[in-house]
Amino acid sequence: MLRTLRRDLRTARDRDPAARSSLEVALCYPGVHALWAYRVNHWLWGRGMALPARVGATVARTLTGVEIHPAAVIGDGVFIDHATGVVIGETAEVGNDVTIYHGVTLGGTSLEPTKRHPTIGDRVVIGAGAKVLGGFTVGADSRIGANAVVVRAVPPGSVVVGVPGQVITRSRPRPAHDEGMPDLVGLSLQSLLTRVDRLEAAAHTGAGDAHRDPNGTRTTIHPPKGGVWQGEDFAI
């Protein structure tokens, strides 16, 4: 237990540049306090003391702003940053080295007493305000964008954004503290500008259906069907 508590302190210092010392983390970080309370409550729950565990969870929620059901399973090296508004349901499972920001909900969509909360893989980063709802798995090394609503399984190494959450890219595993997200606006504009250049070049050829780009590659422009251009090369 002491080793786990020390790792919680070290994890907070590694992932929050504002943390100046382990003593500061121990005294001032509600996310760390919530994890410590959870570990005690989970120990009680596992020994059949459900009511004391739930009372302890309620007290911890009042003091920290984080609600973690004592039956949830949380691994080592988890960091809850800023803490306020985080909810982790009864059948949720959180892997090792996961980073969770404020306002995150690991919730359920079913009233059946089954596995109804998500399983979060190792080294996942869940952005502020994200909602992960259902009994599916979010693969290891994935990143959930801020305010995304995820309602289906996520493959490992994915980036998910939007409502409902969409997988926009898959990449090589990244360290848990690497929170960079793709520039969606930039990708969209780049794709649109490329498309406009091709259309203008096709119009200038007079043929209306084909042209060669500056690299000499021949590109065929298909007319839209039902208002949808065929052969789009958008990045998202």
Side-chain angles (χ1 to χ4, degrees):
M1 178 63 72
L2 184 59
R3 181 189 64 82
T4 300
L5 299 181
R6 287 176 175 172
R7 181 171 181 181
D8 291 337
L9 294 175
R10 185 171 64 253
T11 296
R13 293 194 64 185
D14 289 343
R15 296 189 209 161
D16 186 0
R20 296 172 177 81
S21 68
S22 295
L23 180 60
E24 178 184 6
V25 172
L27 295 176
C28 304
Y29 277 57
V32 174
H33 301 160
L35 284 173
W36 288 350
Y38 154 78
R39 300 192 193 287
V40 173
N41 297 328
H42 185 68
W43 184 87
L44 293 172
W45 183 275
R47 284 152 183 76
M49 293 178 278
L51 182 57
R54 290 302 304 271
V55 171
T58 300
V59 172
R61 180 189 63 189
T62 302
L63 296 176
T64 66
V66 178
E67 180 172 350
I68 306 177
H69 195 286
V73 177
I74 298 180
D76 295 330
V78 173
F79 178 47
I80 303 177
D81 196 11
H82 299 293
T84 304
V86 172
V87 177
I88 300 177
E90 177 185 10
T91 61
E93 300 175 48
V94 180
N96 298 325
D97 300 313
V98 172
T99 300
I100 300 174
Y101 286 90
H102 57 281
V104 167
T105 298
L106 305 182
T109 58
S110 171
L111 298 179
E112 299 297 324
T114 58
K115 169 64 173 171
R116 60 190 186 279
H117 299 94
T119 296
I120 309 298
D122 295 341
R123 298 173 299 280
V124 171
V125 177
I126 308 178
K131 315 300 178 187
V132 186
L133 308 175
F136 52 83
T137 297
V138 175
D141 300 298
S142 294
R143 290 171 291 159
I144 309 300
N147 295 315
V149 178
V150 185
V151 293
R152 59 185 177 184
V154 176
S158 298
V159 175
V160 183
V161 299
V163 181
Q166 301 292 325
V167 176
I168 60 170
T169 184
R170 298 181 190 177
S171 59
R172 293 174 297 176
R174 297 169 179 258
H177 61 272
D178 186 349
E179 298 143 17
M181 299 292 289
D183 181 2
L184 300 183
V185 175
L187 289 174
S188 299
L189 289 176
Q190 182 180 14
S191 298
L192 287 170
L193 290 173
T194 300
R195 186 64 178 177
V196 169
D197 287 343
R198 291 181 179 178
L199 290 172
E200 290 180 345
H204 292 158
T205 62
D209 64 347
H211 79 286
R212 292 183 182 274
D213 63 21
N215 296 324
T217 303
R218 184 178 179 83
T219 302
T220 301
I221 305 298
H222 300 285
K225 296 180 180 179
V228 178
W229 284 96
Q230 305 301 308
E232 294 285 1
D233 61 348
F234 282 17
I236 61 173

